[in-house]
Amino acid sequence: MAGIQTVTSQAVVLRSTNIDTDQIIPARFLSTTERAGLGQFAFNDWRWKTEGVPNPEFAFNQPHSAGRQVLLAGRNFGCGSSREHAPWALTDLGLKAVVSSEIADIFRNNSLKNGLIPIVLAEADVQTLMERPDDQLTIDVAARELRTPDGRTYTFPLDAFAQTCLLEGVDELGYLLARAPDIARYEASHAR
Amino acid sequence: MSPAPRTPAPRTLFEKLWDAHVVVPESDTAPAVLYIDLHLIHEVTSPQAFTELRARGIAPHRPDRTKGTMDHSTPTLPRGADGKLPYYTAAAEKQVETLEANCAQYGIELFDMGSDNRGIVHVIAPEQGFTQPGMTIVCGDSHTSTHGAFGSLAFGIGTSEVGHVLATQCLLQRKPKTMSITVDGPLAPGVGAKDVVLHIIGQIGVNGGTGHVLEYRGSTIEAMDMEQRMTLCNMSIEAGARAGMVAPDQITFDYVAATPRGPKGADFEAAVDYWKTLRSDDGARFDAEVTIDAADIRPTMTWGTHPGTAIAIDAPIPAANDAAAQKSLDYMGFEAGHAVAGTKVDVVFVGSCTNGRLSDMRDVARVLAGRKVAEGVRMLVVPGSEIVKRQAEAEGIDVIVRDAGAQWRESGCSMCIAMNGDLVAPGELAVSTSNRNFEGRQGPGSRTLLASPLGAAWSAVRGQVADVRELFDADQKEVA
Ligand code: SF4
């Protein structure tokens, strides 16, 4: 995974709260043994009225949404299943960050492993940002800041390890494999 | 004078489990490395993890600590005349074959379509005795929280993490917070673990447990058998919690003692000595505490499109106070101010890792015996495992189900996730014993009410969403 320093983009807004992983990618698209190419199924049941007929109301179908990399979403985004297919689908759709006042634990973990930055801000701040989706937002991972063109700066929490992983593209499995001596010691002292 | 011996600070059950599995402690700059005792895999969330391992040229570190089963994509209809299983799609069949190949290559024990012990991952691991108190247990599946019923730390992980566990038997984890949920008092007739957990989620919300590990305690929980405790812990994730757990006790030890693969003889005795220490110490502090009075819990169902919309079956649906609640009402076709009871039902589904065990099958039989499923209602009863299926059949439950006009299927996830072709049609209303009522969860356009097995079966008979208290007379005795 390549490192990410900053993301600069306008935003797509999904105001619904509790957007669950079944909405992000419905279960019937999980019958795959691959991780690539899932963007076409992202938000499938909201994106299409019937097969092949897009729902023009849906934010991602509006022409100005094309190429936008930041999603502003209602509270408790990503609740539900542990499917990593959810961040796979969103990154395949071109998203680089999700901003919400609450992001579900497993989705958050899965996002970090796929270079999708989970950003939690106060509900009022998310609401303010949702009013101006056409603003060019800058997300600065090193500073843990989201900045707006009119000079507002929002600081978001990001665990130091997660930050390093994002900035340097650290591969968590590589990190764990390097702990092999510790793991061997643990196994020897807990033989069961 | 020597210093007085220091008494260790009181710890919660979670803290004891955490401390016992730390390989490298967490620091400001890095999460803890946590050892995983038992890793469960299934066909949907594992293939990409094996692909990653292969790409790096590494093999599983402890294949003996991983167990595999197939459940999500598998058909619940029997083999055809040609001897072939009726897979819904070629992709589903390929997933199953991929799991078989991966397990065969690396020597991972697999409960495949030919196994008498196959079933839903969270049903078979406890049934076999793989799930034991004191363990850390993970699976690429959010309902891994089920196994917390045994006093283990059990949680769902993503596919990248499935790869981490395969490769190192460890995970990188930040220590979560703790929340105690204390439920005290006897439950009313017809009210069970499913009502309890729906009630809890209705109280604390779908995000009420985010960042926390829940410990369920109190006299109501202590009185529950293991199957009820599994139902309870299963839905912890629906409150957003990382995991849910119940301290192990004699009920737990007796359950494990009766399993084929649990410890035996002196090993079992030694294990029980350790398991008895797995309780939150007096004075242990939780980051949050919730108290529930069992007397407040009535038969509970959901009205909306997430489990946090649980209300007592005769309570009015609350007025929509935001756009999300209005969207839920519109999707479900419900009106605020009315109770869900009385709504016409199209489909009833009994099964899943929440309510697919023998006691759930018995609850269904209790209601269906001598009765018929209402005209126009399609009812599927899907045992959670092959063992549950055989045990139920030995008791004649399959006959009762069929005589009532419902379908008795092969074990698997089935309509809980609707990946295998068992679907609720667009617009249809299903009363389901599963755990998620998200939009389209049981098929595109499907509408779901979550309920207990008793509530689901009674709704099937009545043809409408029905209150199980109608099954009991004024003396709280069950009416035949
Ligand atoms: S029964 Fe449903 S919730 Fe349980 S593992 Fe299967 S799909 Fe997941």
Side-chain angles (χ1 to χ4, degrees), chain B residues 113-447:
Chain B
M113 295 308 286
S115 165
D116 287 345
N117 300 328
R118 189 194 58 84
I120 303 174
V121 59
H122 312 307
V123 177
I124 70 163
E127 205 171 62
Q128 289 298 311
F130 296 141
T131 300
Q132 294 166 25
M135 283 184 162
T136 43
I137 303 176
V138 298
C139 174
D141 194 288
S142 57
H143 293 99
T144 308
S145 59
T146 311
H147 309 262
F150 290 77
S152 62
L153 175 59
F155 53 93
I157 56 176
T159 296
S160 293
E161 291 175 319
V162 170
H164 297 179
V165 180
L166 285 172
T168 67
Q169 204 59 36
C170 287
L171 278 177
L172 289 167
Q173 288 286 305
R174 283 282 175 198
K175 194 173 180 175
K177 295 193 203 131
T178 54
M179 179 186 288
S180 72
I181 297 190
T182 307
V183 192
D184 275 315
L187 293 170
V191 174
K194 184 61 165 290
D195 303 288
V196 173
V197 72
L198 285 173
H199 179 86
I200 291 170
I201 300 165
Q203 296 289 308
I204 70 173
V206 263
N207 51 358
T210 303
H212 291 77
V213 166
L214 314 181
E215 182 182 338
Y216 302 98
R217 1 171 42 196
S219 63
T220 315
I221 312 299
E222 285 160 21
M224 288 182 178
D225 64 21
M226 288 314 296
E227 298 199 351
Q228 291 178 296
R229 293 179 192 179
M230 284 190 254
T231 299
L232 184 72
C233 290
N234 173 277
M235 290 197 69
S236 305
I237 180 70
E238 308 311 333
R242 218 39 198 120
M245 51 178 66
V246 175
D249 58 12
Q250 197 57 45
I251 294 172
T252 321
F253 310 150
D254 291 346
Y255 181 101
V256 178
T259 60
R261 305 280 294 268
K264 301 285 169 216
D267 288 346
F268 180 77
E269 299 308 324
V272 169
D273 284 344
Y274 169 55
W275 294 345
K276 283 182 173 163
T277 68
L278 299 175
R279 317 192 64 79
S280 288
D281 297 326
D282 290 341
R285 268 204 55 252
F286 291 86
D287 296 300
E289 299 189 8
V290 172
T291 312
I292 305 262
D293 185 351
D296 291 340
I297 308 176
R298 289 179 271 163
T300 304
M301 289 199 194
T302 55
W303 59 264
T305 53
H306 63 72
T309 62
I311 52 172
I313 187 160
D314 52 349
I317 296 172
N321 51 8
D322 60 17
Q326 190 57 50
K327 188 164 171 275
S328 250
L329 281 176
D330 293 345
Y331 183 87
M332 293 302 292
F334 286 152
E335 260 180 73
H338 295 264
V340 292
T343 314
K344 185 184 169 299
V345 172
D346 302 302
V347 177
V348 171
F349 168 64
V350 177
S352 87
C353 57
T354 316
N355 286 119
R357 299 185 178 79
L358 184 60
S359 57
D360 304 312
M361 303 294 121
R362 283 178 179 155
D363 275 353
V364 169
R366 212 169 126 186
V367 175
L368 293 189
R371 298 193 176 99
K372 291 277 179 215
V373 171
E375 190 79 23
V377 175
R378 182 163 61 105
M379 181 178 187
L380 256 70
V381 183
V382 186
S385 71
E386 293 300 295
I387 290 183
V388 171
K389 180 165 183 271
R390 279 198 305 277
Q391 287 173 334
E393 287 174 354
E395 295 182 11
I397 292 175
D398 57 325
V399 177
I400 294 172
V401 166
R402 287 205 180 93
D403 283 353
Q407 302 178 42
W408 179 252
R409 294 289 187 99
E410 305 295 319
S411 69
C413 298
S414 182
M415 253 185 205
C416 171
I417 191 162
M419 280 185 72
N420 74 335
D422 297 344
L423 290 164
V424 175
E428 280 188 336
L429 187 84
V431 177
S432 298
T433 67
S434 46
N435 42 52
R436 288 192 172 137
N437 52 343
F438 298 149
E439 282 181 29
R441 168 77 176 187
Q442 297 194 279
S446 61
R447 301 181 296 144

Side-chain angles (χ1 to χ4, degrees), chain A residues 17 20 22-23 27 30-34 46 80-82 84 102 105 110 113 159 161 171 175 186-187 192, chain B residues 20-21 29-31 35 48 56 61-62 91 95 141 158-160 174 207 210-211 324 417 436 438-439 441:
Chain A
T17 53
D20 58 79
D22 276 271
Q23 308 318 313
L30 307 184
S31 296
T32 173
T33 51
E34 310 292 327
W46 289 353
S81 123
S82 64
E84 200 162 318
E102 190 161 320
D105 288 335
N110 284 339
K113 291 179 178 60
D159 175 274
F161 183 76
D171 143 43
Y175 177 92
Y186 180 92
E187 286 184 325
R192 24 184 178 184
Chain B
H21 291 89
T29 52
Y35 197 77
Q48 297 88 346
R56 293 179 185 242
H61 172 59
R62 289 293 300 270
Q95 269 192 335
D141 194 288
T159 296
S160 293
R174 283 282 175 198
N207 51 358
T210 303
I417 191 162
R436 288 192 172 137
F438 298 149
E439 282 181 29
R441 168 77 176 187

